[in-house]
Amino acid sequence: LKPESDTLEAAELAVSDALAGERGAAVLIVDVGPAGTPLRALGLGNIKGEIVTASERRGIPSAPGISGSSTRRPQPTVHDWPTGATLVLSTDGLKSTVRQPEPPALYHRSALTIAAAIYERRRRDTDDCGILVVKA
């Protein structure tokens, strides 16, 4: 993005324009700064975002629609991004509900280990999937 268009809304519009006329996609664009600064997110479609801390799990909303074919423009949301938090973004190729959530001790591991463990536990065999883990 060019500096003058360095916003979540501009990024979403650029992605939507690039996908226009194609199949489209679910998108979750996140502006992650240093721990302790607000985390901003903008989501459209069937994609999941979650901020995990030692005491809670908070979802990041995503508006209904498909980037590239939806005229709906989602609004950014602002979230706390405390020291020690973990951001987990995943597509619908991973189950969003499981009988037991991941053990809290998992989130003390590296981002790669967290992503691999969640992938192993939640992978659907019928869909492609993606997962991204970022630690504050």
Side-chain angles (χ1 to χ4, degrees):
L1 294 175
K2 297 175 185 174
E4 63 272 9
S5 64
D6 192 15
T7 66
L8 294 175
E9 296 90 342
E12 188 279 326
L13 187 56
V15 169
S16 185
D17 287 348
L19 293 171
E22 302 294 328
R23 184 170 175 233
V27 298
L28 184 52
I29 302 168
V30 182
D31 181 8
V32 181
T37 63
L39 179 146
R40 295 182 67 239
L42 188 144
L44 185 63
N46 193 8
I47 193 159
K48 183 176 181 177
E50 192 171 42
I51 299 169
V52 181
T53 66
S55 60
E56 66 181 341
R57 302 170 82 92
R58 291 169 295 165
I60 296 174
S62 182
I66 299 171
S67 184
S69 65
S70 179
T71 58
R72 172 180 238 167
R73 300 275 65 94
Q75 296 300 309
T77 55
V78 179
H79 308 272
D80 290 335
W81 182 233
T83 300
T86 303
L87 173 66
V88 180
L89 307 178
S90 61
T91 65
D92 64 351
L94 295 178
K95 298 173 197 165
S96 60
T97 57
V98 291
R99 289 186 187 170
Q100 297 287 329
E102 284 75 28
L106 175 63
Y107 293 96
H108 295 286
R109 305 286 185 168
S110 71
L112 182 60
T113 299
I114 296 167
I118 292 173
Y119 176 88
E120 182 66 29
R121 291 189 73 206
R122 296 186 182 194
R123 173 81 170 107
R124 295 179 201 253
D125 292 330
T126 58
D127 201 355
D128 61 337
C129 69
I131 184 167
L132 174 71
V133 175
V134 178
K135 298 190 75 161

